[in-house]
Amino acid sequence: MVMVGGGRVEEQLVAGELVCPCGGVLGPWGSARVRRVRGVGRLCPRRARCRVCQVTHVLLDSVCVVRRADGVEVIGSALQEAAGGAGFRTVARRLGVPQSTVRGWLRAARANAAAVVALLSGVLLGADPLACPVQVAGSLAGVVEVVGAAGAAVVRRLGALVVVSPWRWASAASQGRLLSGGLVAW
């Protein structure tokens, strides 16, 4: 589960405003282990427990991507370069991360591209009903295009209320699952 803005999440958690996928209310349940996220620093995510199904959830900030040790901005930068034609070795060298890491991001992004484009196309059309659909759906270029288009549409719609980058917005909209399965369109 991914949330935008750490302080607000704590307020929502204590007030019982966060909902589990089962429909139950989440309550505070300690903290997860401290982790280092490249491009972000050290994070200590909050944990929450559903009062109905008793499942524990880790509440990640939108700078994170589920099961990745790198921030969404770092991963997004790699996806943009690769969509522009750069190879994984070039991208890895520029970002200072292992080649196998970048190769894994690209494989996962390509495998999940259709679901990400479908989900973020819904965000795009929700924010701007007159927007054109993404032309290269299901590809890495389609992911990069829809993240940029949806981010721009959300900024046009919400203006000064949006204070995060398009990649961070996409991470929040996908619940951190830009590189993993289980995406559900709204």
Side-chain angles (χ1 to χ4, degrees):
M1 182 178 291
V2 174
M3 303 292 165
V4 179
R8 177 72 179 124
V9 169
E10 184 65 27
E11 292 170 12
Q12 290 176 311
L13 187 59
V14 171
E17 297 173 359
L18 297 181
V19 179
C20 177
C22 80
V25 175
L26 295 177
W29 197 258
S31 297
R33 67 174 177 78
V34 175
R35 57 198 76 199
R36 187 175 119 6
V37 179
R38 274 188 292 237
V40 176
R42 294 171 57 87
L43 294 176
C44 184
R46 189 72 157 107
R47 288 188 324 163
R49 188 169 179 117
C50 177
R51 296 176 186 159
V52 174
C53 69
Q54 301 296 303
V55 171
T56 302
H57 300 275
V58 175
L59 305 178
L60 295 175
D61 193 282
S62 62
V63 297
C64 298
V65 177
V66 172
R67 301 188 187 279
R68 302 294 168 165
D70 299 274
V72 71
E73 299 293 341
V74 175
I75 294 170
S77 169
L79 299 182
Q80 285 177 293
E81 286 186 44
F88 72 90
R89 289 181 184 91
T90 304
V91 174
R93 193 170 32 256
R94 189 193 68 72
L95 294 175
V97 298
Q99 292 178 6
S100 59
T101 299
V102 174
R103 197 171 43 242
W105 294 341
L106 299 179
R107 281 185 188 144
R110 287 183 179 112
N112 206 33
V116 170
V117 169
L119 174 77
L120 295 181
S121 290
V123 172
L124 170 62
L125 293 174
D128 182 0
L130 300 177
C132 294
V134 174
Q135 297 300 315
V136 285
S139 69
L140 195 55
V143 170
V144 171
E145 182 182 332
V146 77
V147 166
V154 167
V155 168
R156 282 192 306 273
R157 180 75 180 247
L158 300 177
L161 296 175
V162 178
V163 293
V164 297
S165 73
W167 285 104
R168 193 165 171 187
W169 183 263
S171 178
S174 68
Q175 296 185 345
R177 290 182 171 87
L178 288 173
L179 300 180
S180 59
L183 283 176
V184 179
W186 301 351

